[in-house]
Amino acid sequence: RAKSPLYAIDFSSQAAGKRIATSKRRVRWRWGYTNQVALQHGHTGNDCRGEEHDVTLVWSVASGKCQLLMDGQEVQFIVSRGSIVDHSWTTKGNHVIQVLAHASPPMSSGQIQPNFRQYDLLIDGQSFFTMPKVFELGLVQNQAAYARQPDDMNHKEQEEAHLISAIQNSIAEVRHHRVEKRENKQVHEDSSSVGSYSGRSFY
């Protein structure tokens, strides 16, 4: 039976920039510490849920401002122009939490490492994406062989879909802004031509 001390609940990533969506990222992980007593008594799934937490990364790639929150409380606020966020801290019970995030994925498939993830959370060295899900607690026979390849692909596809959607939204926003700017300029020019005669303004 799986006696993993950790389990994954939920992961989400979204572009949150006001004008250009991809300029700001909001990434959230939710996980829990397994109820080992319940596991030892042969319970499975929801019966093995224990203390649960969440970590949120809010990262403005444009300004370099980065905020890390755990359970809604700010853990760290930094300003860095780098393309990578790598920050660790220790919580009660001497658990080490690490957030590792990249501003963008590698440019070519040849540069992608086998276990590369654009956003990752590690608890005591274990990646969020290798943790069992709640319904799997107490059921997985061999944790070492628990590769989770299909689920990893789902998370990667989800990240790529978010990124593609954010890029498309950003392009649409920029085009809309340009159209508005052109229209405002045209209205201003038309108003100037109507409101003036022989160099004198009627307004």
Side-chain angles (χ1 to χ4, degrees):
R1 292 178 181 273
K3 297 186 183 298
S4 169
L6 303 160
Y7 56 91
I9 301 173
D10 181 59
F11 166 80
S12 65
S13 64
Q14 65 183 81
K18 290 183 179 179
R19 295 192 66 84
I20 300 179
T22 53
S23 66
K24 189 175 184 179
R25 320 285 171 79
R26 182 181 291 272
V27 187
R28 185 172 183 243
W29 301 264
R30 292 177 60 222
W31 85 98
Y33 294 106
T34 309
N35 184 333
Q36 293 294 315
V37 174
L39 277 178
Q40 291 168 9
H41 282 81
H43 296 293
T44 61
N46 276 322
D47 291 337
C48 299
R49 294 179 77 156
E51 184 178 313
E52 298 179 348
H53 302 276
D54 67 82
V55 164
T56 301
L57 166 68
V58 183
W59 185 12
S60 175
V61 180
S63 68
K65 294 178 180 178
C66 175
Q67 183 184 36
L68 282 167
L69 303 102
M70 181 170 177
D71 300 331
Q73 299 297 314
E74 185 176 277
V75 174
Q76 183 74 22
F77 183 85
I78 57 176
V79 179
S80 173
R81 293 289 184 177
S83 61
I84 297 176
V85 170
D86 186 354
H87 183 70
S88 303
W89 67 97
T90 303
T91 62
K92 67 176 183 179
N94 289 322
H95 295 292
V96 178
I97 316 293
Q98 180 185 8
V99 169
L100 181 60
H102 300 259
S104 61
M107 298 301 292
S108 65
S109 58
Q111 296 176 317
I112 299 178
Q113 299 298 317
N115 296 320
F116 174 84
R117 294 182 182 87
Q118 187 171 354
Y119 310 112
D120 204 357
L121 175 77
L122 296 98
I123 313 296
D124 297 329
Q126 182 178 357
S127 169
F128 172 90
F129 299 104
T130 64
M131 298 175 190
K133 295 294 184 64
V134 173
F135 71 90
E136 295 168 320
L137 292 174
L139 298 177
V140 180
Q141 194 69 25
N142 185 354
Q143 190 67 19
Y146 186 65
R148 192 180 291 288
Q149 290 300 328
D151 195 57
D152 279 349
M153 288 303 296
N154 288 338
H155 280 296
K156 288 180 180 179
E157 288 172 1
Q158 184 183 30
E159 289 179 5
E160 290 174 1
H162 279 304
L163 186 60
I164 291 171
S165 175
I167 291 172
Q168 291 174 341
N169 290 336
S170 296
I171 293 172
E173 287 176 6
V174 171
R175 286 177 177 170
H176 180 70
H177 179 66
R178 287 177 177 173
V179 169
E180 279 189 339
K181 192 174 181 181
R182 266 200 310 270
E183 289 177 348
N184 290 337
K185 182 179 179 182
Q186 185 63 46
V187 169
H188 178 72
E189 290 176 349
D190 291 344
S191 298
S192 297
S193 61
V194 171
S196 61
Y197 178 76
S198 299
R200 296 181 180 178
S201 175
F202 286 102
Y203 301 98

